[in-house]
PDB file of all heavy atoms in Angstrom:
ATOM      1  N   TYR A 235      15.007   5.813   1.911  1.00 47.00           N
ATOM      2  CA  TYR A 235      16.194   6.567   2.281  1.00 47.00           C
ATOM      3  C   TYR A 235      17.285   5.594   2.731  1.00 47.00           C
ATOM      4  O   TYR A 235      17.000   4.455   3.088  1.00 47.00           O
ATOM      5  CB  TYR A 235      15.887   7.560   3.408  1.00 47.00           C
ATOM      6  CG  TYR A 235      14.735   8.481   3.099  1.00 47.00           C
ATOM      7  CD1 TYR A 235      13.451   8.190   3.564  1.00 47.00           C
ATOM      8  CD2 TYR A 235      14.915   9.631   2.335  1.00 47.00           C
ATOM      9  CE1 TYR A 235      12.379   9.026   3.275  1.00 47.00           C
ATOM     10  CE2 TYR A 235      13.844  10.471   2.035  1.00 47.00           C
ATOM     11  CZ  TYR A 235      12.587  10.162   2.514  1.00 47.00           C
ATOM     12  OH  TYR A 235      11.547  10.983   2.220  1.00 47.00           O
ATOM     13  N   SER A 236      18.492   6.041   2.674  1.00 52.00           N
ATOM     14  CA  SER A 236      19.619   5.180   3.054  1.00 52.00           C
ATOM     15  C   SER A 236      19.923   5.285   4.542  1.00 52.00           C
ATOM     16  O   SER A 236      21.066   5.183   4.957  1.00 52.00           O
ATOM     17  CB  SER A 236      20.855   5.580   2.241  1.00 52.00           C
ATOM     18  OG  SER A 236      21.180   6.946   2.476  1.00 52.00           O
ATOM     19  N   LEU A 237      18.906   5.497   5.343  1.00 55.00           N
ATOM     20  CA  LEU A 237      19.076   5.615   6.782  1.00 55.00           C
ATOM     21  C   LEU A 237      18.484   4.399   7.469  1.00 55.00           C
ATOM     22  O   LEU A 237      17.507   3.806   6.983  1.00 55.00           O
ATOM     23  CB  LEU A 237      18.390   6.891   7.302  1.00 55.00           C
ATOM     24  CG  LEU A 237      18.897   8.219   6.734  1.00 55.00           C
ATOM     25  CD1 LEU A 237      18.027   9.355   7.250  1.00 55.00           C
ATOM     26  CD2 LEU A 237      20.346   8.451   7.131  1.00 55.00           C
ATOM     27  N   PRO A 238      19.030   3.998   8.597  1.00 60.00           N
ATOM     28  CA  PRO A 238      18.434   2.874   9.331  1.00 60.00           C
ATOM     29  C   PRO A 238      17.050   3.240   9.858  1.00 60.00           C
ATOM     30  O   PRO A 238      16.789   4.387  10.247  1.00 60.00           O
ATOM     31  CB  PRO A 238      19.423   2.640  10.485  1.00 60.00           C
ATOM     32  CG  PRO A 238      20.171   3.925  10.617  1.00 60.00           C
ATOM     33  CD  PRO A 238      20.251   4.526   9.249  1.00 60.00           C
ATOM     34  N   ASN A 239      16.166   2.256   9.802  1.00 60.00           N
ATOM     35  CA  ASN A 239      14.782   2.440  10.268  1.00 60.00           C
ATOM     36  C   ASN A 239      14.036   3.517   9.486  1.00 60.00           C
ATOM     37  O   ASN A 239      13.095   4.137   9.995  1.00 60.00           O
ATOM     38  CB  ASN A 239      14.748   2.789  11.765  1.00 60.00           C
ATOM     39  CG  ASN A 239      15.384   1.713  12.612  1.00 60.00           C
ATOM     40  OD1 ASN A 239      15.262   0.520  12.316  1.00 60.00           O
ATOM     41  ND2 ASN A 239      16.073   2.127  13.670  1.00 60.00           N
ATOM     42  N   ALA A 240      14.466   3.762   8.254  1.00 56.00           N
ATOM     43  CA  ALA A 240      13.778   4.742   7.419  1.00 56.00           C
ATOM     44  C   ALA A 240      12.446   4.161   6.935  1.00 56.00           C
ATOM     45  O   ALA A 240      12.281   2.941   6.843  1.00 56.00           O
ATOM     46  CB  ALA A 240      14.661   5.130   6.232  1.00 56.00           C
ATOM     47  N   PRO A 241      11.448   4.998   6.623  1.00 57.00           N
ATOM     48  CA  PRO A 241      10.139   4.490   6.190  1.00 57.00           C
ATOM     49  C   PRO A 241      10.219   3.819   4.826  1.00 57.00           C
ATOM     50  O   PRO A 241      11.056   4.168   3.988  1.00 57.00           O
ATOM     51  CB  PRO A 241       9.272   5.755   6.139  1.00 57.00           C
ATOM     52  CG  PRO A 241      10.238   6.877   5.964  1.00 57.00           C
ATOM     53  CD  PRO A 241      11.481   6.473   6.697  1.00 57.00           C
ATOM     54  N   THR A 242       9.340   2.878   4.606  1.00 62.00           N
ATOM     55  CA  THR A 242       9.226   2.183   3.338  1.00 62.00           C
ATOM     56  C   THR A 242       7.838   2.422   2.761  1.00 62.00           C
ATOM     57  O   THR A 242       6.970   3.024   3.413  1.00 62.00           O
ATOM     58  CB  THR A 242       9.458   0.678   3.514  1.00 62.00           C
ATOM     59  OG1 THR A 242       8.425   0.164   4.365  1.00 62.00           O
ATOM     60  CG2 THR A 242      10.822   0.408   4.145  1.00 62.00           C
ATOM     61  N   LEU A 243       7.616   1.924   1.530  1.00 62.00           N
ATOM     62  CA  LEU A 243       6.291   2.069   0.926  1.00 62.00           C
ATOM     63  C   LEU A 243       5.237   1.323   1.736  1.00 62.00           C
ATOM     64  O   LEU A 243       4.085   1.754   1.813  1.00 62.00           O
ATOM     65  CB  LEU A 243       6.326   1.533  -0.505  1.00 62.00           C
ATOM     66  CG  LEU A 243       7.070   2.393  -1.534  1.00 62.00           C
ATOM     67  CD1 LEU A 243       7.112   1.679  -2.877  1.00 62.00           C
ATOM     68  CD2 LEU A 243       6.406   3.752  -1.685  1.00 62.00           C
ATOM     69  N   ALA A 244       5.637   0.234   2.352  1.00 60.00           N
ATOM     70  CA  ALA A 244       4.681  -0.534   3.160  1.00 60.00           C
ATOM     71  C   ALA A 244       4.183   0.260   4.364  1.00 60.00           C
ATOM     72  O   ALA A 244       3.078   0.024   4.860  1.00 60.00           O
ATOM     73  CB  ALA A 244       5.317  -1.840   3.617  1.00 60.00           C
ATOM     74  N   ASP A 245       4.989   1.209   4.832  1.00 57.00           N
ATOM     75  CA  ASP A 245       4.566   2.032   5.967  1.00 57.00           C
ATOM     76  C   ASP A 245       3.460   3.007   5.600  1.00 57.00           C
ATOM     77  O   ASP A 245       2.839   3.619   6.482  1.00 57.00           O
ATOM     78  CB  ASP A 245       5.769   2.813   6.521  1.00 57.00           C
ATOM     79  CG  ASP A 245       6.820   1.880   7.101  1.00 57.00           C
ATOM     80  OD1 ASP A 245       6.441   0.836   7.654  1.00 57.00           O
ATOM     81  OD2 ASP A 245       8.029   2.197   6.987  1.00 57.00           O
ATOM     82  N   LEU A 246       3.202   3.176   4.312  1.00 60.00           N
ATOM     83  CA  LEU A 246       2.163   4.101   3.867  1.00 60.00           C
ATOM     84  C   LEU A 246       0.793   3.452   3.804  1.00 60.00           C
ATOM     85  O   LEU A 246      -0.174   4.091   3.403  1.00 60.00           O
ATOM     86  CB  LEU A 246       2.519   4.662   2.480  1.00 60.00           C
ATOM     87  CG  LEU A 246       3.841   5.434   2.386  1.00 60.00           C
ATOM     88  CD1 LEU A 246       4.110   5.842   0.938  1.00 60.00           C
ATOM     89  CD2 LEU A 246       3.810   6.670   3.273  1.00 60.00           C
ATOM     90  N   GLU A 247       0.708   2.185   4.172  1.00 64.00           N
ATOM     91  CA  GLU A 247      -0.556   1.476   4.099  1.00 64.00           C
ATOM     92  C   GLU A 247      -1.584   2.110   5.024  1.00 64.00           C
ATOM     93  O   GLU A 247      -1.289   2.462   6.161  1.00 64.00           O
ATOM     94  CB  GLU A 247      -0.363   0.004   4.484  1.00 64.00           C
ATOM     95  CG  GLU A 247       0.314  -0.818   3.408  1.00 64.00           C
ATOM     96  CD  GLU A 247      -0.522  -0.915   2.149  1.00 64.00           C
ATOM     97  OE1 GLU A 247      -1.764  -0.892   2.240  1.00 64.00           O
ATOM     98  OE2 GLU A 247       0.067  -1.003   1.057  1.00 64.00           O
ATOM     99  N   ASP A 248      -2.790   2.262   4.492  1.00 60.00           N
ATOM    100  CA  ASP A 248      -3.902   2.789   5.275  1.00 60.00           C
ATOM    101  C   ASP A 248      -5.051   1.800   5.152  1.00 60.00           C
ATOM    102  O   ASP A 248      -5.794   1.794   4.176  1.00 60.00           O
ATOM    103  CB  ASP A 248      -4.328   4.171   4.749  1.00 60.00           C
ATOM    104  CG  ASP A 248      -5.385   4.823   5.629  1.00 60.00           C
ATOM    105  OD1 ASP A 248      -5.707   4.249   6.685  1.00 60.00           O
ATOM    106  OD2 ASP A 248      -5.884   5.905   5.264  1.00 60.00           O
ATOM    107  N   ASP A 249      -5.181   0.938   6.145  1.00 54.00           N
ATOM    108  CA  ASP A 249      -6.211  -0.093   6.100  1.00 54.00           C
ATOM    109  C   ASP A 249      -7.615   0.480   6.260  1.00 54.00           C
ATOM    110  O   ASP A 249      -8.599  -0.220   6.061  1.00 54.00           O
ATOM    111  CB  ASP A 249      -5.970  -1.138   7.186  1.00 54.00           C
ATOM    112  CG  ASP A 249      -4.691  -1.935   6.929  1.00 54.00           C
ATOM    113  OD1 ASP A 249      -4.325  -2.067   5.739  1.00 54.00           O
ATOM    114  OD2 ASP A 249      -4.059  -2.391   7.904  1.00 54.00           O
ATOM    115  N   ALA A 250      -7.698   1.753   6.624  1.00 52.00           N
ATOM    116  CA  ALA A 250      -9.028   2.353   6.773  1.00 52.00           C
ATOM    117  C   ALA A 250      -9.714   2.529   5.423  1.00 52.00           C
ATOM    118  O   ALA A 250     -10.932   2.598   5.339  1.00 52.00           O
ATOM    119  CB  ALA A 250      -8.913   3.708   7.472  1.00 52.00           C
ATOM    120  N   GLU A 251      -8.914   2.606   4.343  1.00 54.00           N
ATOM    121  CA  GLU A 251      -9.485   2.785   3.014  1.00 54.00           C
ATOM    122  C   GLU A 251      -9.804   1.409   2.432  1.00 54.00           C
ATOM    123  O   GLU A 251      -8.963   0.741   1.855  1.00 54.00           O
ATOM    124  CB  GLU A 251      -8.516   3.537   2.109  1.00 54.00           C
ATOM    125  CG  GLU A 251      -8.234   4.951   2.567  1.00 54.00           C
ATOM    126  CD  GLU A 251      -7.313   5.669   1.592  1.00 54.00           C
ATOM    127  OE1 GLU A 251      -6.942   5.054   0.561  1.00 54.00           O
ATOM    128  OE2 GLU A 251      -6.981   6.830   1.855  1.00 54.00           O
ATOM    129  N   GLU A 252     -11.010   0.972   2.611  1.00 53.00           N
ATOM    130  CA  GLU A 252     -11.429  -0.323   2.099  1.00 53.00           C
ATOM    131  C   GLU A 252     -12.202  -0.136   0.798  1.00 53.00           C
ATOM    132  O   GLU A 252     -12.607   0.964   0.433  1.00 53.00           O
ATOM    133  CB  GLU A 252     -12.312  -1.031   3.143  1.00 53.00           C
ATOM    134  CG  GLU A 252     -11.571  -1.336   4.434  1.00 53.00           C
ATOM    135  CD  GLU A 252     -10.441  -2.333   4.247  1.00 53.00           C
ATOM    136  OE1 GLU A 252     -10.480  -3.089   3.258  1.00 53.00           O
ATOM    137  OE2 GLU A 252      -9.522  -2.351   5.091  1.00 53.00           O
ATOM    138  N   ALA A 253     -12.410  -1.233   0.115  1.00 50.00           N
ATOM    139  CA  ALA A 253     -13.137  -1.187  -1.154  1.00 50.00           C
ATOM    140  C   ALA A 253     -14.610  -0.900  -0.905  1.00 50.00           C
ATOM    141  O   ALA A 253     -15.182  -1.286   0.112  1.00 50.00           O
ATOM    142  CB  ALA A 253     -12.982  -2.520  -1.884  1.00 50.00           C
ATOM    143  N   ASN A 254     -15.232  -0.211  -1.853  1.00 56.00           N
ATOM    144  CA  ASN A 254     -16.659   0.033  -1.788  1.00 56.00           C
ATOM    145  C   ASN A 254     -17.330  -0.568  -3.015  1.00 56.00           C
ATOM    146  O   ASN A 254     -16.700  -1.249  -3.814  1.00 56.00           O
ATOM    147  CB  ASN A 254     -16.944   1.542  -1.686  1.00 56.00           C
ATOM    148  CG  ASN A 254     -16.237   2.334  -2.773  1.00 56.00           C
ATOM    149  OD1 ASN A 254     -16.273   1.950  -3.947  1.00 56.00           O
ATOM    150  ND2 ASN A 254     -15.591   3.428  -2.384  1.00 56.00           N
ATOM    151  N   GLU A 255     -18.624  -0.291  -3.147  1.00 55.00           N
ATOM    152  CA  GLU A 255     -19.379  -0.902  -4.232  1.00 55.00           C
ATOM    153  C   GLU A 255     -18.908  -0.397  -5.593  1.00 55.00           C
ATOM    154  O   GLU A 255     -18.963  -1.127  -6.577  1.00 55.00           O
ATOM    155  CB  GLU A 255     -20.864  -0.613  -4.040  1.00 55.00           C
ATOM    156  CG  GLU A 255     -21.436  -1.232  -2.770  1.00 55.00           C
ATOM    157  CD  GLU A 255     -22.906  -0.907  -2.598  1.00 55.00           C
ATOM    158  OE1 GLU A 255     -23.428  -0.138  -3.439  1.00 55.00           O
ATOM    159  OE2 GLU A 255     -23.513  -1.406  -1.645  1.00 55.00           O
ATOM    160  N   ASN A 256     -18.498   0.860  -5.678  1.00 64.00           N
ATOM    161  CA  ASN A 256     -18.130   1.451  -6.956  1.00 64.00           C
ATOM    162  C   ASN A 256     -16.651   1.311  -7.284  1.00 64.00           C
ATOM    163  O   ASN A 256     -16.248   1.614  -8.403  1.00 64.00           O
ATOM    164  CB  ASN A 256     -18.507   2.942  -6.962  1.00 64.00           C
ATOM    165  CG  ASN A 256     -19.988   3.161  -6.749  1.00 64.00           C
ATOM    166  OD1 ASN A 256     -20.809   2.374  -7.229  1.00 64.00           O
ATOM    167  ND2 ASN A 256     -20.335   4.219  -6.021  1.00 64.00           N
ATOM    168  N   GLN A 257     -15.847   0.895  -6.363  1.00 68.00           N
ATOM    169  CA  GLN A 257     -14.391   0.824  -6.570  1.00 68.00           C
ATOM    170  C   GLN A 257     -13.856  -0.470  -5.987  1.00 68.00           C
ATOM    171  O   GLN A 257     -14.183  -0.834  -4.859  1.00 68.00           O
ATOM    172  CB  GLN A 257     -13.712   2.026  -5.895  1.00 68.00           C
ATOM    173  CG  GLN A 257     -12.242   2.173  -6.269  1.00 68.00           C
ATOM    174  CD  GLN A 257     -12.033   2.885  -7.584  1.00 68.00           C
ATOM    175  OE1 GLN A 257     -12.831   2.746  -8.485  1.00 68.00           O
ATOM    176  NE2 GLN A 257     -10.965   3.643  -7.694  1.00 68.00           N
ATOM    177  N   PRO A 258     -13.032  -1.189  -6.755  1.00 78.00           N
ATOM    178  CA  PRO A 258     -12.451  -2.425  -6.221  1.00 78.00           C
ATOM    179  C   PRO A 258     -11.431  -2.130  -5.133  1.00 78.00           C
ATOM    180  O   PRO A 258     -11.018  -0.985  -4.920  1.00 78.00           O
ATOM    181  CB  PRO A 258     -11.785  -3.059  -7.454  1.00 78.00           C
ATOM    182  CG  PRO A 258     -11.548  -1.912  -8.380  1.00 78.00           C
ATOM    183  CD  PRO A 258     -12.652  -0.935  -8.139  1.00 78.00           C
ATOM    184  N   GLU A 259     -11.021  -3.181  -4.459  1.00 85.00           N
ATOM    185  CA  GLU A 259     -10.039  -3.021  -3.386  1.00 85.00           C
ATOM    186  C   GLU A 259      -8.714  -2.519  -3.939  1.00 85.00           C
ATOM    187  O   GLU A 259      -8.224  -3.008  -4.955  1.00 85.00           O
ATOM    188  CB  GLU A 259      -9.819  -4.362  -2.687  1.00 85.00           C
ATOM    189  CG  GLU A 259      -8.836  -4.282  -1.527  1.00 85.00           C
ATOM    190  CD  GLU A 259      -8.568  -5.634  -0.910  1.00 85.00           C
ATOM    191  OE1 GLU A 259      -9.200  -6.615  -1.360  1.00 85.00           O
ATOM    192  OE2 GLU A 259      -7.729  -5.710   0.014  1.00 85.00           O
ATOM    193  N   LYS A 260      -8.159  -1.534  -3.273  1.00 89.00           N
ATOM    194  CA  LYS A 260      -6.929  -0.917  -3.758  1.00 89.00           C
ATOM    195  C   LYS A 260      -5.731  -1.828  -3.494  1.00 89.00           C
ATOM    196  O   LYS A 260      -5.732  -2.619  -2.547  1.00 89.00           O
ATOM    197  CB  LYS A 260      -6.722   0.443  -3.080  1.00 89.00           C
ATOM    198  CG  LYS A 260      -7.773   1.466  -3.458  1.00 89.00           C
ATOM    199  CD  LYS A 260      -7.500   2.818  -2.834  1.00 89.00           C
ATOM    200  CE  LYS A 260      -8.560   3.835  -3.250  1.00 89.00           C
ATOM    201  NZ  LYS A 260      -8.304   5.173  -2.666  1.00 89.00           N
ATOM    202  N   PRO A 261      -4.702  -1.704  -4.334  1.00 90.00           N
ATOM    203  CA  PRO A 261      -3.491  -2.515  -4.112  1.00 90.00           C
ATOM    204  C   PRO A 261      -2.793  -2.114  -2.822  1.00 90.00           C
ATOM    205  O   PRO A 261      -3.019  -1.037  -2.257  1.00 90.00           O
ATOM    206  CB  PRO A 261      -2.626  -2.177  -5.339  1.00 90.00           C
ATOM    207  CG  PRO A 261      -3.563  -1.614  -6.353  1.00 90.00           C
ATOM    208  CD  PRO A 261      -4.636  -0.928  -5.582  1.00 90.00           C
ATOM    209  N   HIS A 262      -1.927  -2.998  -2.367  1.00 88.00           N
ATOM    210  CA  HIS A 262      -1.159  -2.764  -1.153  1.00 88.00           C
ATOM    211  C   HIS A 262       0.322  -2.722  -1.488  1.00 88.00           C
ATOM    212  O   HIS A 262       0.796  -3.429  -2.381  1.00 88.00           O
ATOM    213  CB  HIS A 262      -1.433  -3.855  -0.114  1.00 88.00           C
ATOM    214  CG  HIS A 262      -2.873  -3.964   0.277  1.00 88.00           C
ATOM    215  ND1 HIS A 262      -3.470  -3.115   1.177  1.00 88.00           N
ATOM    216  CD2 HIS A 262      -3.844  -4.822  -0.127  1.00 88.00           C
ATOM    217  CE1 HIS A 262      -4.740  -3.441   1.322  1.00 88.00           C
ATOM    218  NE2 HIS A 262      -4.998  -4.473   0.539  1.00 88.00           N
ATOM    219  N   PHE A 263       1.057  -1.896  -0.760  1.00 85.00           N
ATOM    220  CA  PHE A 263       2.500  -1.799  -0.969  1.00 85.00           C
ATOM    221  C   PHE A 263       3.253  -2.951  -0.299  1.00 85.00           C
ATOM    222  O   PHE A 263       4.414  -3.181  -0.604  1.00 85.00           O
ATOM    223  CB  PHE A 263       3.027  -0.464  -0.428  1.00 85.00           C
ATOM    224  CG  PHE A 263       2.595   0.720  -1.260  1.00 85.00           C
ATOM    225  CD1 PHE A 263       1.740   1.668  -0.740  1.00 85.00           C
ATOM    226  CD2 PHE A 263       3.071   0.892  -2.550  1.00 85.00           C
ATOM    227  CE1 PHE A 263       1.351   2.766  -1.500  1.00 85.00           C
ATOM    228  CE2 PHE A 263       2.691   1.978  -3.315  1.00 85.00           C
ATOM    229  CZ  PHE A 263       1.820   2.922  -2.792  1.00 85.00           C
ATOM    230  N   ASP A 264       2.583  -3.638   0.623  1.00 82.00           N
ATOM    231  CA  ASP A 264       3.266  -4.736   1.310  1.00 82.00           C
ATOM    232  C   ASP A 264       3.106  -6.031   0.516  1.00 82.00           C
ATOM    233  O   ASP A 264       2.728  -6.019  -0.665  1.00 82.00           O
ATOM    234  CB  ASP A 264       2.741  -4.868   2.742  1.00 82.00           C
ATOM    235  CG  ASP A 264       1.234  -5.016   2.788  1.00 82.00           C
ATOM    236  OD1 ASP A 264       0.648  -5.461   1.772  1.00 82.00           O
ATOM    237  OD2 ASP A 264       0.617  -4.692   3.824  1.00 82.00           O
ATOM    238  N   SER A 265       3.367  -7.154   1.147  1.00 83.00           N
ATOM    239  CA  SER A 265       3.389  -8.440   0.460  1.00 83.00           C
ATOM    240  C   SER A 265       2.013  -8.926   0.018  1.00 83.00           C
ATOM    241  O   SER A 265       1.916  -9.937  -0.687  1.00 83.00           O
ATOM    242  CB  SER A 265       4.033  -9.495   1.367  1.00 83.00           C
ATOM    243  OG  SER A 265       3.306  -9.613   2.589  1.00 83.00           O
ATOM    244  N   ARG A 266       0.944  -8.228   0.413  1.00 86.00           N
ATOM    245  CA  ARG A 266      -0.385  -8.646  -0.015  1.00 86.00           C
ATOM    246  C   ARG A 266      -0.596  -8.458  -1.514  1.00 86.00           C
ATOM    247  O   ARG A 266      -1.464  -9.093  -2.114  1.00 86.00           O
ATOM    248  CB  ARG A 266      -1.448  -7.875   0.769  1.00 86.00           C
ATOM    249  CG  ARG A 266      -1.601  -8.311   2.205  1.00 86.00           C
ATOM    250  CD  ARG A 266      -2.589  -7.443   2.954  1.00 86.00           C
ATOM    251  NE  ARG A 266      -2.077  -6.096   3.186  1.00 86.00           N
ATOM    252  CZ  ARG A 266      -2.767  -5.129   3.792  1.00 86.00           C
ATOM    253  NH1 ARG A 266      -4.009  -5.368   4.195  1.00 86.00           N
ATOM    254  NH2 ARG A 266      -2.225  -3.939   3.995  1.00 86.00           N
ATOM    255  N   SER A 267       0.160  -7.549  -2.131  1.00 89.00           N
ATOM    256  CA  SER A 267       0.071  -7.310  -3.568  1.00 89.00           C
ATOM    257  C   SER A 267       1.468  -7.330  -4.173  1.00 89.00           C
ATOM    258  O   SER A 267       2.457  -7.057  -3.485  1.00 89.00           O
ATOM    259  CB  SER A 267      -0.594  -5.951  -3.860  1.00 89.00           C
ATOM    260  OG  SER A 267      -1.894  -5.878  -3.316  1.00 89.00           O
ATOM    261  N   VAL A 268       1.531  -7.649  -5.465  1.00 91.00           N
ATOM    262  CA  VAL A 268       2.785  -7.616  -6.208  1.00 91.00           C
ATOM    263  C   VAL A 268       2.604  -6.616  -7.340  1.00 91.00           C
ATOM    264  O   VAL A 268       1.659  -6.731  -8.132  1.00 91.00           O
ATOM    265  CB  VAL A 268       3.170  -9.002  -6.752  1.00 91.00           C
ATOM    266  CG1 VAL A 268       4.576  -8.951  -7.342  1.00 91.00           C
ATOM    267  CG2 VAL A 268       3.071 -10.037  -5.669  1.00 91.00           C
ATOM    268  N   LEU A 269       3.492  -5.625  -7.411  1.00 93.00           N
ATOM    269  CA  LEU A 269       3.334  -4.482  -8.314  1.00 93.00           C
ATOM    270  C   LEU A 269       4.483  -4.425  -9.304  1.00 93.00           C
ATOM    271  O   LEU A 269       5.651  -4.463  -8.913  1.00 93.00           O
ATOM    272  CB  LEU A 269       3.273  -3.181  -7.507  1.00 93.00           C
ATOM    273  CG  LEU A 269       2.452  -3.217  -6.208  1.00 93.00           C
ATOM    274  CD1 LEU A 269       2.698  -1.962  -5.386  1.00 93.00           C
ATOM    275  CD2 LEU A 269       0.967  -3.371  -6.533  1.00 93.00           C
ATOM    276  N   PHE A 270       4.147  -4.297 -10.596  1.00 95.00           N
ATOM    277  CA  PHE A 270       5.155  -4.180 -11.647  1.00 95.00           C
ATOM    278  C   PHE A 270       4.854  -2.939 -12.490  1.00 95.00           C
ATOM    279  O   PHE A 270       3.693  -2.681 -12.836  1.00 95.00           O
ATOM    280  CB  PHE A 270       5.177  -5.425 -12.531  1.00 95.00           C
ATOM    281  CG  PHE A 270       5.618  -6.665 -11.815  1.00 95.00           C
ATOM    282  CD1 PHE A 270       4.679  -7.530 -11.268  1.00 95.00           C
ATOM    283  CD2 PHE A 270       6.959  -6.963 -11.681  1.00 95.00           C
ATOM    284  CE1 PHE A 270       5.078  -8.673 -10.598  1.00 95.00           C
ATOM    285  CE2 PHE A 270       7.377  -8.107 -11.008  1.00 95.00           C
ATOM    286  CZ  PHE A 270       6.426  -8.959 -10.459  1.00 95.00           C
ATOM    287  N   GLU A 271       5.893  -2.198 -12.803  1.00 95.00           N
ATOM    288  CA  GLU A 271       5.744  -0.930 -13.521  1.00 95.00           C
ATOM    289  C   GLU A 271       5.635  -1.165 -15.020  1.00 95.00           C
ATOM    290  O   GLU A 271       6.560  -1.664 -15.656  1.00 95.00           O
ATOM    291  CB  GLU A 271       6.928  -0.011 -13.218  1.00 95.00           C
ATOM    292  CG  GLU A 271       6.852   1.340 -13.914  1.00 95.00           C
ATOM    293  CD  GLU A 271       8.063   2.216 -13.622  1.00 95.00           C
ATOM    294  OE1 GLU A 271       8.558   2.164 -12.472  1.00 95.00           O
ATOM    295  OE2 GLU A 271       8.531   2.913 -14.523  1.00 95.00           O
TER     296      GLU A 271
END
């Protein structure tokens, strides 16, 4: 949003969701991952 202190995609990070045996580690919206469409 075009408002000051508005949320970003990085604010949606949920570190509680970790990788398990059947699924690899999910990407992150912050600088830990780089995402291209």
Side-chain angles (χ1 to χ4, degrees):
Y235 306 97
S236 59
L237 300 175
N239 301 324
T242 63
L243 287 176
D245 295 326
L246 300 176
E247 285 296 329
D248 186 5
D249 293 332
E251 296 183 2
E252 297 295 338
N254 52 46
E255 296 179 356
N256 300 324
Q257 190 83 326
E259 182 184 357
K260 294 183 179 181
H262 301 280
F263 289 114
D264 54 24
S265 59
R266 287 176 290 178
S267 301
V268 188
L269 319 169
F270 294 95
E271 180 182 323

